[in-house]
Amino acid sequence: MSEKRLKIAIQRSGRLSGPTIELLKKCDIGFQDGMGKLRSLADNFPLEIYSLRDDDIPQYVEDGVADVGIVGENIVAENGCGIDVVAKLGFGKCRLSLAVPKAFQYSAAKDIQGWRIATTYPKILKTFLHEKGVSAEIHNISGSVEIAPSIGLADAVCDLVGSGSTLFSNGLVEAETVMTSEAVLISNRNVEPSIKKILDKLVFRISAVRTAQQNKYILLNAPNEKLDDISQLLPGIKSPTVMPLAESGWSSLHSVINESDFWEIVEKLRDAGAEGILVLSIDQMINGSTAMGA
Ligand code: PRT
Ligand code: ZN
């Protein structure tokens, strides 16, 4: 009998492909025969990878052709209903925004009552307009949405935005964020128990990688009389590790600090008398709890 494998659908080629493969590699999952094929097998983890168009992934997962998938929340909101979101993955961040011509003074959604809006996300836009109590004509087009107003096809657009430069170069400006999005791990709702065990292992590894990405390992030297003050600045997982240095009167402190307040803490450490501060990236970090925010 062949070994049970978790089937994962990922984007074949596009913005999410690179970061998805990178994430799997950081989870120490290697591939036998390279990526880019429709189907490939991991060689050290029971995983079978399907490389597909991102729009098709929710349906494949809902139908059970794949057990899980990695896609943007925007695709889940537009195309996915009978699936579960298991974890947020922290990459592919963007927003779906309503954008109007630069010269237009937008103050509220009611300003676009009766307008023609071009989008690839008709379902999300319809819900948004309904919630705002606005009726507008939704033009569902499949690509290059941002040029629709300049060729007279629409008055406004509802499209994905990263830096905003594409909108800007097409004479448009963001009027309102309809939703924010990042890549997520989605799952079929009826995964059989043996496959669920593999999924739990994958989620555990992803969680360890994500936690590590949000933290840094810090080492520093401190004069003993300043140890208390410096330790207060280093919460660590529990509290910092303190070890005596060969030079008397000095100690070495090791700790883990969150990336979000990293620079602020480093400056405070320096001001408090820390020397020889070394900062290292962490590959994986396993906390007591590995629950991931979905
Ligand atoms: O072929 P396939 O259907 O698989 O891919 P695709 O062409 O539909 O998707 P792709 O690769 O463009 O995007 C995949 C996912 O990446 C999206 O579904 C989002 O979840 C996410 N993502 C993150 C983005 C962006 N950032 C983004 N900037 N998707 C699209 N864009 C577009 C944006 O609409 C604009 O046209 O990129 C362009 C540049 O953006 P600016 O604002 O930086 O200029
Ligand atoms: Zn797509």
Side-chain angles (χ1 to χ4, degrees), residues 11 53-56 75 121:
Q11 192 187 22
R53 283 203 57 200
D54 65 349
D55 316 68
D56 298 333
I75 297 289
Y121 296 90

Side-chain angles (χ1 to χ4, degrees), residues 115-186:
W115 281 29
R116 297 165 304 159
I117 310 171
T119 190
T120 338
Y121 296 90
K123 185 176 154 193
I124 303 174
L125 178 59
K126 191 176 170 204
T127 308
F128 172 81
L129 292 172
H130 180 75
E131 280 167 5
K132 298 280 180 187
V134 171
S135 68
E137 263 179 53
I138 298 174
H139 288 247
N140 185 9
I141 58 176
S142 56
S144 303
V145 170
E146 65 282 352
I147 63 165
S150 61
I151 59 171
L153 202 67
D155 307 305
V157 303
C158 175
D159 199 11
L160 294 177
V161 185
S163 64
S165 63
T166 302
L167 288 183
F168 183 80
S169 55
N170 283 282
L172 300 168
V173 64
E174 260 182 292
E176 215 165 312
T177 302
V178 175
M179 75 174 283
T180 56
S181 175
E182 67 182 84
V184 287
L185 179 69
I186 58 171

Side-chain angles (χ1 to χ4, degrees), residues 86-104:
V86 181
K88 293 199 181 214
L89 301 175
F91 59 83
K93 288 190 178 173
C94 57
R95 50 200 184 273
L96 181 67
S97 291
L98 184 67
V100 298
K102 260 179 222 161
F104 184 74

Side-chain angles (χ1 to χ4, degrees), residues 47 64 98 101 116 227 233 242 246 266 272 279:
L47 194 68
L98 184 67
R116 297 165 304 159
L227 271 181
L233 297 168
V242 182
V266 167
V279 180

